[in-house]
Structures are given as C-alpha cells and as structure tokens.
C-alpha cells in the first residue's frame, strides 16, 4: 500500500492540469496539426486523436554519477514523478507526445538521454564507454538521486524497457510501478550463449554484424542509414517522415554513441568485458529476478523487432499485472507510434 505522501491528489491534479499543459506546450512547441492513428477508442487500441509536437526543446543538464545527463523535464515540480526511458536507435523524442500529455495530468515527467545519446556526456575521459545493462540502470538511479527523486513510476521501450525492468527488480524501493514495452527483457551473458532457432537468429543479424570490426566501421560510417533501416524493420507500418527521423538521429552525433552501442551488443555475447563495479548486480540479474512492483506490459501488433511472446514472461511479474496488445499496426517504438495508449498505461499503473 502506498504511503499518504505517495498518493496523487486527483482534485489537485485536475486544478493544475491546465497550467501544466500550457507549460508543456511552451516547452515542446506544438503544431496545430493533428495526426490520425489507426484503431478506435479502445484502451488497447491506438487513439485516433493525437496532438503533434515538433520538439522536446533544449534539455537541461545535471551531473549524476559518471555522467552529465541531458534530460527534459515537464509538469509541476511537486507532481508524482514519472521517468521515461528510450532505446536504440531512438532518443528522447520517443516520448515527444507522451510527456506533455502526462504533464497535463499533473505528473512530473523526466525524459533523459541515455549514455551515448544526445547531450549526455561522460564527466571523465577515463571512464570506460560501457553499454552493459547494469551500467545503464545505475545511471538512472544516479539521476534520480541527483534530482531528489526517491521513487517514481518508470516506463520504457527497447533498452529503456530493459532498464526499467532492472530498476524494478533490483531497486523496488525506487520504482513505484512500471510500464514495459515487450515485457521482461532482463538478460545475461550465459543465456546469450544459447543458440536460437534460425528464424529468431535472423532477427538479430545486426548483433552479429556489430561483433565484427567491419560492423563497427559500417555503423560508424552509416549511422543514420543504419538507424533508419532499423526503424523501418522494427515498425513496418509506421509511416514516419524525414523530419521525424532526423529529429532523433541528431542524438546519434554524441561522441560516445558508437562505442556505447558496440559495447552493449558485444557484451551480451560475452565478446566485451563489463566493469567489475557492476559484477554483483549482473550476478543478481543472471538469476532472472521476479518483478514485484505493479506492472503493465505493452506490445504492438506489428512489432518487427525481436521480442518474446507475452505468455513467456507473464510469470516474471508477481505483483499486480496486466498485459495489453495495442492494435492498429503499431510497431516497436510504441510510445511514439501509440502515445495515447502508452500514456494511459502510465496513468493506470500508477494507480494500481
């Protein structure tokens, strides 16, 4: 049961909602155009009414752990905290629609660039450019400490979903509730040694490409082309335009981006070492810890990226739990493709 201090005063949220939305619009820059999304008004279907935002604006910066983190913050400073985490090859614009919608409901929304993306930088040139899962999760805990956030609802997609899973599993006292696209994604190097059926291995082609010097050189030379291809394969029915892609692709100009991406995928295959400081955390993650915090998992009905079946991970959630299939041709980047559905999941899980 939540403490009184954790509860959201609904009346207060409605009173400040209009003011928060005004602030969110000012920060994000809103166009008057609305874009249609497939599906109807069902909570498990992409909404047909969406406001289109052009940008998340200039991130703030804060020292947190080994990083100087670039992040966007919307909504009232005393609102219930929500942290939204992006994946690869995406950036904070995954939540360009979701963040202001939640801010309008009175939530304090934090959307950080992960290490290797956007304006996030390492504070020291001596720090290993490490992309392993425990390192990225530890970054988020450090950010919460720096911002004075004790506990938050955490939502994520792709790398962001895995990171949310890890925080919920290892630091449940810091995670009030969670929304995770594609469910339970915690992995370990030992599991990475097990071969998959050929069709499944084919979906991971880029991971094996990245394991080679040619793959690293190819990603470094053709970063934008590579990312655009992944977007198309992972979300085959998402008709994003050039401006939408380029808005996120600018985040890949981060000087550490290639190093972080390569290390992330090579570490999974035990082709790159992690840091000793994370060994204890990785040992706990290798045990596939069950997640006890209230959770809603989401899946798009047209996700072209590798992902487990919902039935395979339902048992990994021991607390209040619900799975939602989002219809309407929704692919891997679900928060950006179906923002209303993702927003509703955050609201619903924070009240579980």
């Amino acid at each position: 049961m939540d403490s009184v201090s954790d509860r959201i005063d609904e009346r207060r949220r409605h009173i400040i909602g209009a003011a928060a939305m005004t602030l969110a619009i000012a920060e994000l820059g809103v166009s008057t155009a609305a874009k249609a999304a497939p599906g109807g008004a069902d909570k498990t279907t992409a909404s047909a009414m969406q406001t289109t935002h052009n940008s998340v604006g200039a991130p703030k910066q804060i020292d947190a752990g080994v990083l100087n983190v670039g992040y966007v913050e919307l909504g009232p400073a005393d609102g219930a905290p929500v942290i939204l985490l992006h994946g690869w090859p995406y950036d904070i614009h995954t939540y360009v629609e979701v963040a202001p919608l939640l801010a309008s409901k009175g939530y304090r929304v934090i959307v950080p660039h992960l290490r290797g993306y956007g304006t996030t930088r390492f504070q020291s040139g001596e720090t290993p450019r490490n992309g392993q899962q425990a390192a990225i999760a530890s970054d988020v805990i450090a950010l919460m400490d720096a911002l004075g956030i004790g506990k938050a609802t955490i939502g994520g997609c792709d790398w962001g979903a895995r990171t949310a899973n890890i925080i919920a599993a290892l630091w449940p006292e810091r995670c009030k509730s969670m929304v995770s696209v594609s469910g339970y994604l915690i992995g370990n190097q030992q599991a990475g040694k097990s071969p998959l059926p050929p069709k499944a291995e084919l979906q991971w082609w880029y991971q094996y490409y990245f394991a080679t010097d040619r793959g690293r050189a190819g990603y470094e030379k053709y970063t934008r082309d590579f990312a655009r291809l992944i977007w198309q394969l992972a979300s085959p029915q998402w008709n994003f335009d050039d401006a939408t892609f380029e808005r996120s692709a600018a985040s890949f100009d981060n000087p550490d981006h290639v190093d972080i991406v390569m290390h992330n995928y090579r570490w999974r295959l035990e082709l790159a070492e992690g840091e000793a400081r994370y060994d204890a955390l990785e040992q706990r993650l290798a045990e596939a810890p069950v997640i006890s915090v209230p959770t809603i998992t989401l899946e798009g009905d047209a996700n072209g990226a590798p992902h487990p079946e919902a039935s395979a991970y339902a048992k990994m959630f021991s607390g209040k739990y619900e799975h939602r299939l989002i219809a309407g041709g929704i692919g891997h980047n679900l928060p950006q493709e179906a923002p209303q559905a993702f927003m509703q999941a955050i609201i619903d899980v924070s009240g579980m």
Side-chain angles (χ1 to χ4, degrees), residues 257-321:
H257 179 74
V258 174
D259 286 340
I260 294 299
V261 173
M262 292 303 111
H263 188 271
N264 179 283
Y265 286 104
R266 291 180 179 186
W267 179 87
R268 298 187 198 190
L269 296 177
E270 214 169 4
L271 299 175
E273 294 184 358
E275 291 179 78
R277 71 170 78 182
Y278 302 116
D279 286 352
L281 296 179
E282 293 295 354
Q283 289 172 8
R284 292 172 64 188
L285 294 174
E287 298 172 357
V290 172
I291 293 172
S292 61
V293 307
T295 297
I296 292 177
T297 57
L298 303 175
E299 190 60 79
D301 65 342
N303 184 1
H307 63 279
E309 293 295 325
S311 59
Y313 54 70
K315 64 181 181 295
M316 303 307 297
F317 302 97
S318 63
K320 294 179 180 179
Y321 174 70

Side-chain angles (χ1 to χ4, degrees), residues 90-107:
Y90 307 97
D91 81 330
I92 58 177
H93 290 93
T94 288
Y95 301 101
V96 69
E97 308 283 356
V98 172
L101 290 171
L102 289 172
S104 75
K105 303 293 184 181
Y107 292 92

Side-chain angles (χ1 to χ4, degrees), residues 82-332:
V82 173
I83 298 174
L84 303 176
L85 304 172
H86 70 83
W88 172 83
Y90 307 97
D91 81 330
I92 58 177
H93 290 93
T94 288
Y95 301 101
V96 69
E97 308 283 356
V98 172
L101 290 171
L102 289 172
S104 75
K105 303 293 184 181
Y107 292 92
R108 179 189 181 190
V109 186
I110 308 294
V111 191
H113 278 294
L114 301 185
R115 55 170 61 191
Y117 295 81
T119 60
T120 292
R121 298 288 188 274
F122 286 88
Q123 296 194 57
S124 170
E126 302 302 315
T127 304
R129 272 38 179 178
N130 176 1
Q132 74 182 102
Q133 59 181 359
I136 296 173
S138 297
D139 290 344
V140 178
I141 294 296
L143 176 62
M144 293 175 69
D145 290 343
L147 292 174
I149 298 174
K151 196 171 188 177
T153 292
I154 303 177
C157 183
D158 195 80
W159 289 18
R162 179 176 295 106
T163 304
N165 290 177
I166 292 170
I167 294 170
L170 299 187
W171 295 280
E173 72 280 3
R174 307 301 297 271
C175 184
K176 180 179 185 293
S177 52
M178 178 179 66
V179 172
S180 176
V181 176
S182 297
Y184 189 93
L185 298 176
I186 296 173
N188 63 80
Q189 291 178 324
Q190 191 62 36
K193 295 179 180 179
S194 299
L196 301 171
K199 187 176 181 179
E201 295 282 19
L202 178 62
Q203 288 188 302
W204 286 107
W205 64 273
Y206 54 86
Q207 180 170 260
Y208 303 112
Y209 179 62
F210 290 163
T212 68
D213 290 342
R214 179 188 177 98
R216 178 192 172 86
Y219 187 67
E220 187 168 26
K221 182 176 182 179
Y222 300 109
T223 306
R224 277 171 162 74
D225 293 338
F226 204 103
R228 182 185 288 271
L229 176 61
I230 295 297
W231 280 34
Q232 292 166 342
L233 294 175
S235 300
Q237 297 185 44
W238 183 27
N239 295 318
F240 60 88
D241 58 20
D242 289 345
T244 297
F245 174 76
E246 289 298 332
R247 183 178 60 188
S248 289
S251 294
F252 312 149
D253 293 335
N254 183 295
D256 302 308
H257 179 74
V258 174
D259 286 340
I260 294 299
V261 173
M262 292 303 111
H263 188 271
N264 179 283
Y265 286 104
R266 291 180 179 186
W267 179 87
R268 298 187 198 190
L269 296 177
E270 214 169 4
L271 299 175
E273 294 184 358
E275 291 179 78
R277 71 170 78 182
Y278 302 116
D279 286 352
L281 296 179
E282 293 295 354
Q283 289 172 8
R284 292 172 64 188
L285 294 174
E287 298 172 357
V290 172
I291 293 172
S292 61
V293 307
T295 297
I296 292 177
T297 57
L298 303 175
E299 190 60 79
D301 65 342
N303 184 1
H307 63 279
E309 293 295 325
S311 59
Y313 54 70
K315 64 181 181 295
M316 303 307 297
F317 302 97
S318 63
K320 294 179 180 179
Y321 174 70
E322 180 183 341
H323 177 73
R324 298 177 182 178
L325 178 66
I326 310 304
I330 304 303
H332 186 60

